[in-house]
Amino acid sequence: MAEPSFPIAGRTVWVAGHRGLVGSAIVRRLAGEPIGGLITATSAEVDLRRQDVTEAFVRSERPDVLILAAARVGGIHANRSAQGQFLYDNLMIAANCLEAARANGVAKTVVLGSSCIYPRGAHQPMGEDQLLTGPLEPTNEGYAIAKIAALELAKMYRRQYGMDAISLMPTNLYGPEDNFDLETSHVLPALLHKIHNARATSAATVPVWGTGRPRREFLHVDDLAEATIFALERYSGEQHLNVGTGKDISIRELAELIAEIVGWEGELEFDPDMPDGTPRKLLDISRIEALGWSPSIGLREGIAATYDWFLANSESIVTRPR
Ligand code: GDP
């Protein structure tokens, strides 16, 4: 592979959102790199929704690199019940961080978004050019609008100020340090937790929201961390890049796979009163693959590793502050 155009060696790297699923994976990945220093702050220390606080932090820390993994995230239920908060928090975090990075000469910025930026009826698999071609999925519209604004801001700051900011749009993620709360989490950690509880209590059934028919693509967060460092060092352009596996499965198939991994043999009870959300979300990953990155963690292997992590941390995972 060609030499990196932006080698990370010796640079100070601010990982915004370092305690979350994505940020913590990036911190683990950076542990193997000869960087000049890691900069982090909890949301209690630096509230990125506040411009004055964010600017003061960046002015004093002066990072060379910003990896923007801070966000308010949640599963379908959390998203649809607090659209305003998801829009406001994510809009403010993105605008404040990008502006502070620009004003303080951050040399490279990576914005992390989500595949929910694409229209509900997008052609599958979704190429980057599907952005802004149709109406969004209503259950996560607030979050999606904020993430679209973030990637557009990065693009326009590149055009107007020559800022080296790139954007990555990962598919549904899972792995260690995820939110396993049954109400607010995404489907994979929720089903892992529910099915684990069912095995522990010898329950005969597990409730699964919706019809089980929607299809989703799942990427282990360590693969995203790899893609992030890959793109940071080797890609510079206004075109955002999809990051996924290029493979999807139905929610029913996911639940059955998790049941197999956990070792529970009961019955799945689908609840059609809960929303299905978008019918299918599968990314076209040919752009990033052409640059030289591809995923390496298979779904079965990734879920098994995540379940091991869950078992090792089950005392503290649900209530741990972020
Ligand atoms: P989405 O990809 O934005 O729709 O977010 P989720 O990961 O929250 O949900 C994906 C799909 O899984 C939706 O069709 C949900 O209805 C379904 N699902 C089934 N059971 C659950 C559950 O216990 N929690 C969540 N969050 N989703 C579930």
Side-chain angles (χ1 to χ4, degrees), residues 74-79 114-116 137 139-140 172-173 181-191 194 206-218 251 254-255 270-271 274-279 281:
I76 192 163
H77 178 62
N79 252 290
S114 154
S115 62
C116 70
E137 156 62 31
T139 52
N140 56 25
N172 290 32
L173 300 165
D181 177 79
L182 298 180
E183 283 296 303
T184 60
S185 65
H186 286 99
V187 61
L188 196 154
L191 290 180
K194 280 188 203 175
V206 160
V208 182
W209 297 352
T211 61
R213 286 194 295 269
R215 299 185 69 83
R216 296 287 184 275
E217 176 187 14
F218 297 96
I251 298 303
L254 174 72
F270 293 93
D271 176 1
M274 289 301 278
D276 267 348
T278 201
K281 254 195 281 186

Side-chain angles (χ1 to χ4, degrees), residues 14-16 20 48 64 71 82 92 121 127 129 167-168 197 208 217 230-232 234 242 289 317:
W14 173 28
V15 179
L48 298 173
D64 297 321
M92 297 307 284
D129 58 0
S167 298
L168 301 180
N197 287 350
V208 182
E217 176 187 14
F230 171 85
L232 170 61
R234 295 167 192 277
N242 289 342
E289 285 200 314
I317 46 175

Side-chain angles (χ1 to χ4, degrees), residues 171-251:
T171 190
N172 290 32
L173 300 165
Y174 69 97
E177 304 290 344
D178 207 346
N179 169 17
F180 287 85
D181 177 79
L182 298 180
E183 283 296 303
T184 60
S185 65
H186 286 99
V187 61
L188 196 154
L191 290 180
L192 202 52
H193 193 174
K194 280 188 203 175
I195 292 174
H196 166 80
N197 287 350
R199 197 191 66 161
T201 60
S202 305
T205 60
V206 160
V208 182
W209 297 352
T211 61
R213 286 194 295 269
R215 299 185 69 83
R216 296 287 184 275
E217 176 187 14
F218 297 96
L219 179 73
H220 193 283
V221 73
D222 288 351
D223 269 337
L224 174 67
E226 199 60 46
T228 303
I229 305 310
F230 171 85
L232 170 61
E233 289 197 300
R234 295 167 192 277
Y235 176 70
S236 179
E238 69 171 49
Q239 173 65 61
H240 66 277
L241 297 176
N242 289 342
V243 189
T245 62
K247 293 180 203 133
D248 64 350
I249 66 169
S250 72
I251 298 303

Side-chain angles (χ1 to χ4, degrees), residues 243-300:
V243 189
T245 62
K247 293 180 203 133
D248 64 350
I249 66 169
S250 72
I251 298 303
R252 174 189 287 276
E253 289 164 332
L254 174 72
E256 288 168 354
L257 177 59
I258 292 175
E260 216 182 296
I261 291 167
V262 170
W264 173 78
E265 289 187 338
E267 203 179 317
L268 304 170
E269 263 183 356
F270 293 93
D271 176 1
D273 290 339
M274 289 301 278
D276 267 348
T278 201
R280 192 174 183 203
K281 254 195 281 186
L282 176 63
L283 291 176
D284 178 343
I285 56 167
S286 46
R287 271 184 209 265
I288 194 164
E289 285 200 314
L291 293 171
W293 175 88
S294 45
S296 66
I297 304 172
L299 187 56
R300 178 182 291 272

Side-chain angles (χ1 to χ4, degrees), residues 22 67-73 90 94 110-118 143-144 146-151 166-173 186 224 228 240-243 283:
V22 171
I67 300 177
L68 183 44
R72 173 173 294 280
V73 296
N90 290 310
V110 184
V111 173
L112 289 154
S114 154
S115 62
C116 70
I117 60 166
Y118 295 112
Y143 180 78
K147 290 295 174 184
I148 294 170
L151 87 82
I166 62 170
S167 298
L168 301 180
M169 297 298 130
T171 190
N172 290 32
L173 300 165
H186 286 99
L224 174 67
T228 303
H240 66 277
L241 297 176
N242 289 342
V243 189
L283 291 176

Side-chain angles (χ1 to χ4, degrees), residues 14 16 48 54 58 66 68 70 92-102 106 109 163:
W14 173 28
L48 298 173
T54 309
V58 178
L66 162 60
L68 183 44
M92 297 307 284
I93 291 170
N96 291 340
C97 289
L98 275 162
E99 172 57 16
R102 183 199 68 77
V106 169
T109 297
M163 179 175 173

